[in-house]
Amino acid sequence: MTDGIGARARRKEDRRFITGKGKYTDDIRVENQAYAAFVRCPVAHARINGVDASAALAMEGVIAVYTGPDLKADGIGDIITGWAITSKDGSPMKTGVWSPLVTEYGRYVGDAIAIVVAETQSQARAAAETVELDFEELPAVVLADRALEEGAAQVHDNVPGNLIYTWELGDEAKTDAAMANASHVTELDIVNNRLSPNAMEPRSAVAVYDEAEDHYTLYTTSQNPHVARLVLSAFYNVAPEHKLRVIAPDVGGGFGSKIYIYPEEIACLWASMKTGRSVKWTSERGEAFLTDAHGRDHVTKAKMGFDNEGRIVAFHVDTIANLGAYASLFATVTPTYLYGTLWSGQYDIPAIYGTVRAVHTNTVPVDAYRGAGRPEATYMIERVMEVAAREMRMDPAELRRRNFIREFPYQTQVILQYDAGDFDAILDKAQAAADVAGFPARRAEAEARGRLRGLGYSTFIEACGLAPSAAVGSLGAGVGLWESAEVRVNPVGTVEILTGAHSHGQGHETTFAQLVSDRFGVPIDNVQVVHGDTDKVQFGMGTYGSRSGPVGMSAVMKALDKVEAKARKIAAHTLEAAEDDLVIENGEVKVAGTDRKMGWHEVALAAYTAHNLPEGLEPGLKEGAFFDPVNFSFPSGALICEVEVDPETGVTEVVQFTAADDFGTIINPMIVEGQVHGGVTQGIGQAMLERVVYDEDGQLVTGSYMDYCMPRADDVPSYVLDHHSTPSPNNPLGLKGCGEAGAIGAPPAVINAITDAIGTETLQMPATPQAVWQALAWARTPVAAE
Amino acid sequence: MYPTTYHKPASLSDAAAALSASDEAMVLAGGQTLLPTMKQRLASPSALVDIRAIPELRGITVSGATVTIGAATTHAEVAGHHGVQQTIPALACLAAGIGDPAVRHMGTIGGSVANNDPAADYPAAVLGLGATVVTNTREIAADDFFEGMFATALDEGEIITAIRFEAPKRAAYMKFRNPASRYAIVGVFVAETDAGARVAVTGAGADGVFRHSGMEAALSASFAPEAIDGCEVGEGDMASDIHASAAYRAHLVTVMARRAVAGAV
Ligand SMILES: Cc1cc2nc3c(=O)[nH]c(=O)nc-3n(C[C@H](O)[C@H](O)[C@H](O)COP(=O)(O)OP(=O)(O)OC[C@H]3O[C@@H](n4cnc5c(N)ncnc54)[C@H](O)[C@@H]3O)c2cc1C
């Protein structure tokens, strides 16, 4: 009765989630509770001349109002970005200063200016509305390409022309030369639409200062509580690290948006010390739209050259990335090392060169969001491949196959070395599962009903398992990206796993337990996974970039190795056998070929009674380990989308969606399928529904679900999934990571299918009914498209 | 939400009294529009007068070709009512397509009509069927009731008690949903009546629900989808937003009208 590696174990955590018993930050009730509300910049760009809180301070229940200068006076630091990028001319990047509560300028609608602390939530909110801002509105710039135009509004004085960096990757001369000799060149203008993350649980913070102990506790919606503690102490000077406990309890989704340490958490923690009260803040949905870091937002010109047999000879990329008003934690690395390093896709491309210009605009900061850089790379490459195939009148699958990498390890022209993969096999599986052969008949049948049916591919690769610490350090990272784990076997044989990874929907309480079950035959119900509390787990880097499997579980495996080694010593001693003759299965340690054995719990008990341990062996059964990966991991997949378009209205339905993925070893197929379902749905959301819109003045137009369209169950079909595994050689389990694959791979498959259906390429995401109808209209009157 | 005072009167006269007692009192029906607005602190009524416990505001009566729906009747009740389904199937169908199940079990016909959201569905049926809005003080013909976006002929403190519909020969409602809000980007209600065809359009107009006289004339001559083909829909009268330009809306009005006529029962 074990749920080992590969078992479809039901999620242990679902009992409390499904019955509404999850404990989220907003559920935390503490003594002496007060509530915070924030005064925010109402316009996209303003010079702030004064903040008058006298009316607010006179209101019932108001405890305090603090502004930027109050924080500055206490030495609270400015918000950092975690990765230094160097421009191609060798100069360091230039980023604007971001103070937790801004003082002289407001730079986007929602920029935090003051924190109001009051006895109740409604008193705090009502008081915040009465705080008077004396400000002068300044010109604003919203769009990435506009930010670089002559005369554009300047977001920060120290960032001339709003240009943060011009980063390059690859060999320009070689690429230009190869492009010049190409027999066919495909060029495409691509917009990667800006997205709002929309985690189901909004951000929240409960800050508790204990004056007697001079100790701080912060409950918060974080994907990486240890990183939050480090940054809050080392960079923001709010509290010393050993006097600060950060707890991320149940967290209802993150998608990247809860990696970052936002102004609100800093201000609440500091205000708790200042007021001597516990300070709680929970974002409203409208606030979430305004202030949670957005994702994507690229404008790109891509150019791919082919020889006369359809082999890629050169790839050239020119991207402008909108980072918003300030450079958030991973904002600078997302459109560079998480993007450019994927420009080779699944293809053997001999010459690649590209530049990325990152810009500030008067919009909320843009940072890593499910996939982070890799969806942008994949969308670009896979759109270009499909368009190229159509231009060269080749089957798009065949064009891909002509360029597939088939020998591993493969060194790309853009830093990464792919470790393993079998792109033909996954494409074969996807084509079979999608019944591509039957497509012409389906298309004809749809046409008879007045519908345009199209089919589109996406064959993607991504880099997960962030990341080898020395490698990222050499590229400018401020941290290492290893992971830690501790395995504690209790005297009765039950097991606790402490991990620095953090589960906010991924199901770690189940999958991490499966590793123990697999190793020792202990039922998963006897395994407790402990995470999300800096007092319990010593350190960890958290969960993002599909790293919990390849990195987090690898650390657990190392710790399990150590536990097993010690358990074998104890059992061998007790059973009077050689360690090598022992086998551990079904919760027992047996001497092979005999009937001598001990229960797992007996081994554990022996470790703790210590009555009869081998000479020199310490009592107890508890081991820790750190795992630092030697390479990224490289999940890949082949996705095939089929759509039907109503040409009269532009309404498009995804009628079939197939994903064949290579995630290496799979711990729990059910959970992996869930991750693919969610990821693909988010990808379809980006392709067809979601888009953040600011108006020209920088006011957020899509500030609620009335205008920001999230995918719903009836927007997507039942998915057809398949797998083909080439284990990663670079971690003990052969894991590659599956958390982002769907969001990375799906968008180009959808757009390739729609453009196939409507016979024109002038379509950007999201392909709303109006956009599809418009593209069809332009196709009918080609002049209007110019 | 700002603090307010909640009343739940059991009679229409008590409701009217409660409304006039407080300067900024508002009627509360299903709360599906009013409560979200209050939560966003965009409305701050001094008092809420909940009309759902008033017996004469609830329920549906069908007598011959006349369907009378109490103002506090929910969308789900209208959608599921056998008499409505038999007498004016297009109306039951429209109600079944409003929002989601939670909204349909709370939201009311009176609230929807009083609110006159330019993207709401019911105004198209009320205008398209030439219904009568009955209030605690008078009866108002649909043609006189809707006065542009969120504006109606209701006086301060006036309460809608019922909406009275006469069954048409056939009718249909065709809705093109906003992908995000699922309200109507364009909704067209067509009805063939003894007095000729009526066509009411919601969602699309820059000034709320409106009748399309060109289509009405064409359909009165011949109630067939092709009759729509020659009709002009002026782009200039259309609303425009991030979801649909005026041109797209104008185009959709024609498409939805044609489909409504084809589907009329
Ligand atoms: C998620 C969501 C989706 C929705 N989708 C749609 C949709 O697709 N199509 C659509 O048409 N609507 C939609 N709605 C709106 C819904 O139909 C509401 O029910 C309706 O607009 C208002 O009705 P109510 O009973 O909730 O009114 P309330 O919100 O209680 O009141 C609305 C307004 O009408 C006034 N009022 C209410 N009753 C009366 C009365 N008897 N006399 C005088 N004044 C009165 C109130 O004072 C208030 O000003 C949606 C709402 C939500 C929340």
Side-chain angles (χ1 to χ4, degrees):
Chain A
M1 263 276 300
T2 65
D3 283 311
I5 292 169
R8 287 181 173 269
R10 294 274 189 96
R11 297 191 354 149
K12 289 169 43 150
E13 47 270 80
D14 281 351
R15 174 181 290 270
R16 72 176 187 278
F17 292 144
I18 289 169
T19 57
K21 301 279 166 47
K23 197 164 178 108
Y24 298 89
T25 300
D26 191 61
D27 296 323
I28 306 288
R29 300 272 180 274
V30 292
E31 291 279 295
N32 213 7
Q33 187 72 74
Y35 295 83
F38 287 85
V39 179
R40 300 186 180 282
C41 190
V43 297
H45 199 185
R47 179 179 295 115
I48 303 166
N49 299 319
V51 182
D52 180 358
S54 51
L57 284 165
M59 285 171 73
E60 193 192 336
V62 173
I63 298 162
V65 179
Y66 299 113
T67 59
D70 298 321
L71 269 73
K72 281 229 154 58
D74 261 14
I76 302 303
D78 293 326
I79 295 176
I80 58 159
T81 184
W83 208 300
I85 300 295
T86 306
S87 274
K88 66 180 201 180
D89 64 5
S91 64
M93 66 178 184
K94 301 186 189 73
T95 58
V97 176
W98 187 8
S99 301
L101 296 179
V102 297
T103 50
E104 289 168 77
Y105 294 95
R107 293 189 175 87
Y108 71 94
V109 174
D111 218 348
I113 294 174
I115 177 174
V116 177
V117 183
E119 295 293 340
T120 70
Q121 194 177 60
S122 36
Q123 283 169 340
R125 286 178 183 163
E129 281 172 10
T130 71
V131 173
E132 270 183 49
L133 300 178
D134 173 9
F135 67 88
E136 180 190 331
E137 189 166 355
L138 301 172
V141 62
V142 168
L143 299 174
D145 41 2
R146 290 279 175 81
L148 290 174
E149 284 173 6
E150 190 105 39
Q154 284 292 297
V155 184
H156 294 274
D157 290 342
N158 66 323
V159 187
N162 300 315
L163 183 63
I164 297 168
Y165 53 69
T166 301
W167 176 82
E168 68 174 350
L169 186 61
D171 187 332
E172 184 172 21
K174 188 172 154 196
T175 305
D176 286 350
M179 195 73 79
N181 287 325
S183 59
H184 180 87
V185 174
T186 292
E187 292 183 63
L188 205 58
D189 287 339
I190 289 164
V191 176
N192 205 291
N193 44 326
R194 184 176 180 121
L195 303 176
S196 169
N198 286 295
M200 205 183 287
E201 178 207 20
R203 287 193 291 121
S204 181
V206 178
V208 184
Y209 176 66
D210 178 342
E211 198 183 353
E213 300 281 346
D214 187 28
H215 182 275
Y216 296 75
T217 304
L218 177 67
Y219 299 87
T220 187
T221 44
S222 175
Q223 301 177 214
N224 36 218
H226 294 88
V227 176
R229 183 176 67 156
L230 172 67
V231 172
L232 283 162
S233 58
F235 296 96
Y236 305 153
N237 303 320
V238 189
E241 199 169 10
H242 65 297
K243 293 274 188 189
L244 172 60
R245 176 182 186 184
V246 177
I247 301 173
D250 284 333
V251 174
F255 311 113
S257 70
K258 292 172 181 168
I259 296 172
Y260 326 116
I261 296 87
Y262 291 85
E264 292 84 4
E265 287 113 72
I266 302 170
C268 285
L269 193 56
W270 174 81
S272 171
M273 181 272 292
K274 259 341 224 194
T275 58
R277 299 289 299 269
S278 306
V279 177
K280 180 183 218 169
W281 169 79
T282 298
S283 172
E284 295 182 71
R285 187 56 69 182
E287 255 180 320
F289 275 111
L290 284 177
T291 66
D292 290 359
H294 288 167
R296 320 280 192 256
D297 205 347
H298 284 195
V299 180
T300 294
K301 283 187 182 300
K303 202 166 154 185
M304 195 177 268
F306 296 84
D307 69 13
N308 55 16
E309 282 168 4
R311 284 199 191 82
I312 307 168
V313 295
F315 188 33
H316 190 282
V317 178
D318 175 8
T319 292
I320 306 173
N322 189 349
L323 304 197
Y326 307 103
S328 174
L329 197 65
F330 284 166
T332 53
V333 68
T334 298
T336 51
Y337 292 110
L338 293 180
Y339 169 64
T341 52
L342 265 305
W343 285 342
S344 204
Q346 294 189 351
Y347 315 112
D348 178 18
I349 307 181
I352 302 177
Y353 176 75
T355 57
V356 178
R357 286 169 289 170
V359 298
H360 277 309
T361 60
N362 295 105
T363 61
V364 72
V366 178
D367 207 328
Y369 167 67
R370 201 173 193 174
R374 293 152 290 164
E376 296 89 318
T378 301
Y379 182 67
M380 169 178 68
I381 299 162
E382 292 305 299
R383 278 291 291 139
V384 171
M385 288 302 277
E386 202 90 359
V387 172
R390 288 170 191 163
E391 287 175 353
M392 294 188 285
R393 303 194 180 286
M394 280 180 71
D395 174 60
E398 172 55 26
L399 179 65
R400 286 173 168 85
R401 287 186 197 275
R402 248 178 231 191
N403 290 284
F404 276 164
I405 292 162
R406 293 197 173 80
E407 276 168 33
F408 297 90
Y410 174 84
Q411 178 60 53
T412 68
Q413 300 297 308
V414 280
I415 303 178
L416 293 179
Q417 191 187 73
Y418 299 162
D419 57 3
D422 186 343
F423 305 143
D424 289 291
I426 43 182
L427 183 53
D428 288 345
K429 283 200 170 175
Q431 287 187 306
D435 181 26
V436 170
F439 174 70
R442 292 195 292 278
R443 172 176 259 179
E445 186 276 332
E447 204 177 323
R449 283 184 284 111
R451 293 288 182 270
L452 306 173
R453 190 157 175 136
L455 181 146
Y457 287 91
S458 165
T459 54
F460 72 93
I461 186 162
E462 47 149 334
C464 285
L466 308 183
S469 299
V472 297
S474 73
L475 298 177
V479 289
L481 286 167
W482 45 265
E483 196 46 82
S484 81
E486 194 177 315
V487 174
R488 298 178 180 169
V489 182
N490 297 319
V492 292
T494 57
V495 180
E496 280 147 35
I497 301 177
L498 286 72
T499 169
H502 182 275
S503 189
H504 34 278
Q506 294 85 348
H508 293 178
E509 289 170 42
T510 307
T511 51
F512 280 56
Q514 286 181 255
L515 303 184
V516 178
S517 188
D518 197 76
R519 185 69 72 101
F520 302 132
V522 179
I524 57 171
D525 284 339
N526 287 359
V527 183
Q528 189 73 18
V529 177
V530 178
H531 65 95
D533 184 340
T534 60
D535 262 15
K536 292 182 178 163
V537 178
Q538 187 243 338
F539 207 89
M541 296 310 297
T543 289
Y544 38 81
S546 306
R547 66 189 304 279
S548 303
V551 192
M553 283 184 167
S554 298
V556 174
M557 290 299 281
K558 277 185 76 178
L560 285 172
D561 289 344
K562 295 184 192 176
V563 168
E564 181 180 338
K566 188 165 179 184
R568 280 176 179 274
K569 281 197 173 61
I570 295 167
H573 181 72
T574 312
L575 296 168
E576 295 175 348
E579 278 176 49
D580 288 348
D581 291 341
L582 299 179
V583 286
I584 304 181
E585 59 186 24
N586 297 328
E588 291 176 330
V589 185
K590 301 174 186 165
V591 183
T594 74
D595 57 2
R596 278 184 294 149
K597 62 184 181 184
M598 286 174 86
W600 171 252
H601 59 285
E602 291 174 299
V603 179
L605 192 63
Y608 286 93
T609 58
H611 294 163
N612 181 23
L613 291 180
E615 185 73 33
L617 198 69
E618 287 177 14
L621 198 49
K622 175 186 103 163
E623 300 289 345
F626 287 73
F627 179 81
D628 195 358
V630 295
N631 192 357
F632 293 84
S633 61
F634 299 96
S636 58
L639 276 51
I640 301 175
C641 176
E642 265 181 65
V643 299
E644 281 188 13
V645 176
D646 173 354
E648 221 175 13
T649 60
V651 168
T652 302
E653 191 189 345
V654 178
V655 287
Q656 193 177 309
F657 200 103
T658 308
D661 289 295
D662 179 356
F663 296 134
T665 305
I666 289 176
I667 305 293
N668 183 325
M670 180 195 72
I671 286 181
V672 167
E673 285 160 13
Q675 289 289 317
V676 176
H677 288 176
V680 169
T681 303
Q682 257 170 320
I684 292 175
Q686 163 156 36
M688 299 179 66
L689 306 166
E690 297 185 48
R691 150 175 74 152
V692 170
V693 180
Y694 284 95
D695 70 14
E696 276 189 12
D697 298 329
Q699 290 291 339
L700 185 63
V701 178
T702 48
S704 81
Y705 294 125
M706 296 295 280
D707 291 304
Y708 190 87
C709 188
M710 291 293 286
R712 294 160 163 93
D714 64 354
D715 289 317
V716 298
S718 285
Y719 300 120
V720 180
L721 304 188
D722 203 351
H723 296 282
H724 178 86
S725 171
T726 64
S728 166
N730 289 315
N731 61 65
L733 284 163
L735 300 173
K736 294 187 172 181
C738 65
E740 297 155 294
I744 291 170
V750 175
I751 299 299
N752 288 337
I754 300 175
T755 50
D756 180 46
I758 65 179
T760 167
E761 306 296 346
T762 51
L763 180 70
Q764 301 287 1
M765 299 191 289
T768 61
Q770 166 166 260
V772 173
W773 173 78
Q774 188 67 72
L776 274 165
W778 280 334
R780 287 190 203 107
T781 51
V783 197
E786 293 310 310
Chain B
M1 192 184 283
Y2 297 105
T4 185
T5 318
Y6 175 79
H7 302 276
K8 195 165 189 179
S11 76
L12 204 48
S13 55
D14 286 355
L19 277 174
S20 58
S22 176
D23 237 8
E24 282 167 57
M26 283 181 88
V27 172
L28 175 70
Q32 296 302 292
T33 294
L34 186 50
L35 293 182
T37 319
M38 289 173 67
K39 283 185 187 166
Q40 289 173 49
R41 293 181 289 281
L42 297 173
S44 52
S46 54
L48 288 177
V49 182
D50 186 339
I51 56 167
R52 287 171 300 174
I54 303 169
E56 60 260 52
L57 264 54
R58 299 212 68 122
I60 301 169
T61 52
V62 180
S63 103
T66 306
V67 176
T68 308
I69 302 176
T73 308
T74 65
H75 310 329
E77 286 164 342
V78 174
H81 192 272
H82 187 67
V84 180
Q85 289 168 354
Q86 293 294 309
T87 319
I88 316 178
L91 186 60
C93 222
L94 174 146
I98 296 175
D100 50 47
V103 169
R104 289 195 290 275
H105 280 86
M106 290 298 290
T108 67
I109 188 169
S112 178
V113 172
N115 195 48
N116 192 18
D117 186 308
D121 297 305
Y122 266 130
V126 172
L127 195 59
L129 290 168
T132 303
V133 180
V134 185
T135 77
N136 57 338
T137 58
R138 55 182 169 147
E139 297 199 346
I140 310 169
D143 285 326
D144 304 324
F145 183 83
F146 300 105
E147 298 184 341
M149 288 208 204
F150 299 104
T152 67
L154 289 175
D155 291 329
E156 195 95 340
E158 189 172 4
I159 302 170
I160 300 177
T161 56
I163 315 282
R164 199 171 63 230
F165 297 91
E166 296 298 328
K169 286 199 253 184
R170 52 183 165 152
Y173 179 62
M174 226 19 102
K175 175 177 182 178
F176 189 90
R177 286 161 174 256
N178 178 319
S181 73
R182 306 247 169 136
Y183 275 72
I185 277 184
V186 167
V188 181
F189 198 102
V190 299
E192 189 184 15
T193 72
D194 289 335
R198 286 176 76 99
V199 177
V201 180
T202 189
D207 204 21
V209 66
F210 66 94
R211 284 173 65 185
H212 195 288
S213 51
M215 287 186 189
E216 290 186 353
L219 290 171
S220 294
S222 155
F223 198 82
E226 307 77 62
I228 303 290
D229 289 347
C231 298
E232 280 277 316
V233 179
E235 248 181 68
D237 304 329
M238 296 290 116
S240 178
D241 55 31
I242 60 164
H243 304 288
S245 65
Y248 185 48
R249 276 189 162 87
H251 167 75
L252 287 176
V253 170
T254 308
V255 175
M256 292 298 117
R258 210 185 309 119
R259 291 183 183 182
V261 174
V265 282

